């Protein structure tokens, strides 16, 4: 995915619901037909490594800095919510 391809979703103050697939075959960010964000990362889900990879990948896709994404809920869940600052 190109940097900033999902920039239209990067509205400051908004929350993004994300479905995460850890241990995937490749890193990818996609939007399904219902408009839900899906992030696949190759990282294993232990000690927050997968969440860190999601933040990095999502920030790249949204065209924002990693520090602009705040995890609101779902630290240990596949369903996460991020706030854009």
């Amino acid at each position: 995915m190109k940097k900033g391809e999902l920039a239209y979703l990067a509205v400051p103050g908004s929350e993004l619901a994300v479905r995460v697939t850890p241990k995937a075959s490749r890193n990818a960010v996609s939007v399904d037909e219902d408009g839900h964000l899906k992030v696949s990362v190759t990282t294993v889900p232990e000690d927050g490594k997968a969440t860190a990879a999601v933040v990095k990948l999502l920030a790249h896709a949204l065209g924002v800095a990693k520090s602009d994404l705040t995890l609101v809920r779902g630290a240990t869940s596949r369903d996460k919510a991020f706030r854009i600052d």
Side-chain angles (χ1 to χ4, degrees), residues 16-24 27-29 37-45 48-62 64-66 69 71 73-75 77-82:
L16 294 175
V18 177
R19 177 72 172 193
V20 178
T21 303
K23 290 177 57 175
N27 290 328
V29 178
L37 274 174
K38 294 187 178 191
V39 179
S40 301
V41 292
T42 58
T43 314
V44 294
K49 293 177 187 176
T51 301
V54 168
V55 169
K56 182 178 178 181
L57 197 60
L58 192 57
H60 178 78
L62 293 171
V64 299
K66 291 186 293 184
L69 291 177
L71 182 65
R73 63 183 169 275
S77 172
R78 290 182 61 194
D79 295 315
K80 299 182 184 303
F82 291 95

Side-chain angles (χ1 to χ4, degrees), residues 2-43:
K2 294 179 184 176
K3 184 173 184 172
E5 192 169 327
L6 298 176
Y8 64 93
L9 295 174
V11 178
S14 65
E15 276 192 19
L16 294 175
V18 177
R19 177 72 172 193
V20 178
T21 303
K23 290 177 57 175
S25 59
R26 62 187 175 95
N27 290 328
V29 178
S30 62
V31 180
D32 65 7
E33 58 276 350
D34 295 330
H36 299 107
L37 274 174
K38 294 187 178 191
V39 179
S40 301
V41 292
T42 58
T43 314

